[in-house]
Amino acid sequence: DIQMTQSPSSLSASVGDRVTITCQASQDISNYLNWYQQKPGKAPKLLIYDASNFESAVPSRFSGRGTGTEFTFTISSLQPEDIGTYYCQQYDDLPITFGQGTRLEIK
Amino acid sequence: QVQLQESGPGLVKPSETLSLTCTVSSGSISSYYWSWIRQPPGKGLEWFGYIYSSGSTNYNPSLKSRVSMSVDASKNQFSLKLTSVTAADTAVYFCARTFGSGTFDSWGQGTLVTVSS
């Protein structure tokens, strides 16, 4: 299985801060990498697909980049509604696997 | 916008079979893959596998011996069965539409299944 390692596991930042989460794959996955946001008690929501493409209606402050084994997800200006847990997920090879999640809190 | 809704028992006894159904509305089940994903309390996400609208399947090898999926296109539903459950199978179970070969673009709200006697 392809292992997905996110860092940090948790993050506390202030409103307006630039926030970056890293996801590392255990092998080359090209750009077959998605990012999801999950709020407590809710299903995950797709934000970014194929490493850098915005899902419809996703605010432009969210962005993703990377290819191969190293990927980043950035919130350019953190908003209060962005609290939650963020997951990366690869689909280059089966089984589909997720990172362990990054919990984002507001200071 | 397509909507998904999981249904099934919230409590299953150890060694029994967990059965869940996902009903798709405001869209057709045809021409897509449909996945099951679970999340144990306070933990991360695990993909079970997916089924295509034609009925072909691909399961996570870690669960393959206990998992089966089926689809009923006439009802716009697909289903999950997990046999020989233990407490470790206690989780929120999500169904999700799977775009392409692995992008989950629409999710059900999730249903908590507890394995306990």
Side-chain angles (χ1 to χ4, degrees), chain A residues 3-8 20-26 29 33-35 65-73 87-90 97-100 102:
Chain A
Q3 306 301 316
M4 306 301 293
T5 304
Q6 285 182 238
S7 61
T20 297
I21 299 169
T22 298
C23 182
Q24 183 173 38
S26 60
I29 60 169
L33 188 285
N34 302 321
W35 290 96
R65 61 182 298 170
T67 188
T69 62
E70 299 285 338
F71 300 86
T72 58
F73 172 82
Y87 293 94
C88 62
Q89 170 245 321
Q90 69 80 24
T97 51
F98 293 84
Q100 81 279 15
T102 296

Side-chain angles (χ1 to χ4, degrees), chain B residues 12-59:
Chain B
V12 181
K13 289 182 168 56
S15 79
E16 296 189 344
T17 296
L18 179 159
S19 296
L20 295 174
T21 295
C22 183
T23 301
V24 179
S25 57
S26 301
S28 174
I29 204 167
S30 299
S31 304
Y32 281 99
Y33 288 92
W34 302 90
S35 289
W36 289 96
I37 296 158
R38 74 178 176 184
Q39 185 172 39
K43 296 189 177 181
L45 299 160
E46 179 180 33
W47 176 75
F48 264 69
Y50 54 52
I51 185 166
Y52 192 63
S53 51
S54 63
S56 64
T57 56
N58 202 309
Y59 301 141

Side-chain angles (χ1 to χ4, degrees), chain B residues 53-76:
Chain B
S53 51
S54 63
S56 64
T57 56
N58 202 309
Y59 301 141
N60 190 325
S62 68
L63 297 158
K64 190 174 182 177
S65 63
R66 299 196 292 134
V67 171
S68 64
M69 297 181 189
S70 60
V71 62
D72 186 339
S74 68
K75 295 182 179 179
N76 245 25

Side-chain angles (χ1 to χ4, degrees), chain B residues 78-96:
Chain B
F78 62 104
S79 299
L80 169 72
K81 290 189 186 298
L82 180 66
T83 62
S84 305
V85 297
T86 69
D89 295 310
T90 294
V92 175
Y93 286 75
F94 296 100
C95 57

